[in-house]
Amino acid sequence: MSLAQKVALTDEIFKEQPTLLASILVLPRMGVAMEQLDVAIHVLLVTFQAMKRSGHQWPVVTEDIQEGCLQRLTARARFNEGLPPELVAQIVQQFCDEHAERFLLAFVYGYLGDHDLWAVRTEAEKYLVLATLNLVECIAFVGSAAASK
């Protein structure tokens, strides 16, 4: 995708899902370096493209939705802390298998891994990983809410 195409897609995101865009653009204020921000922006662009190509009408992700999804995401992470590695692996596998957007989640897990971000060595990387995973959680949430109507 060329820079002009990325800018045009970002303009579309701003119009249709401004809160998702804001959740990524705020990351430099949390210490995320510009080269790492590219990872989150790429995930946002792919996520939005997937939303568009699905053919569904997606509700706008609000700040309240983002906050609720982030709370659930961090609660799951805290639940796993201190568990034996084999149990953590089972829980993560079950979470992935049952996730409403498991293919998008798999993409994000792989992409973060490709960029060596799972080690979470800094606070900035923690914010980047959480914001990126929360994109998937928000899409799963609004997608399942729209489907249940």
Side-chain angles (χ1 to χ4, degrees), residues 13 18-30 32 36-45 66 127-135:
I13 296 169
T19 309
L20 290 182
L21 179 61
S23 70
I24 299 305
L25 295 181
V26 74
L27 290 172
R29 291 186 179 178
M30 298 173 177
V32 174
Q36 288 180 324
L37 184 64
D38 283 344
V39 171
I41 289 172
H42 180 77
V43 169
L44 175 62
L45 295 175
Q66 279 188 321
Y127 291 125
L128 175 68
V129 168
L130 285 173
T132 306
L133 289 173
N134 204 42
L135 288 173

Side-chain angles (χ1 to χ4, degrees), residues 44-95:
L44 175 62
L45 295 175
V46 169
T47 299
F48 188 71
Q49 285 283 56
M51 292 169 72
K52 282 177 43 176
R53 291 183 182 191
S54 73
H56 299 294
Q57 184 66 24
W58 294 87
V60 174
V61 174
T62 64
E63 286 182 36
D64 288 341
I65 290 170
Q66 279 188 321
E67 182 62 31
C69 290
L70 186 60
Q71 286 176 0
R72 287 187 294 279
L73 184 64
T74 55
R76 272 189 230 106
R78 279 192 216 108
F79 177 77
N80 291 352
E81 288 178 3
L83 293 176
E86 57 277 351
L87 187 54
V88 170
Q90 278 183 314
I91 291 169
V92 169
Q93 186 63 52
Q94 181 181 6
F95 170 72

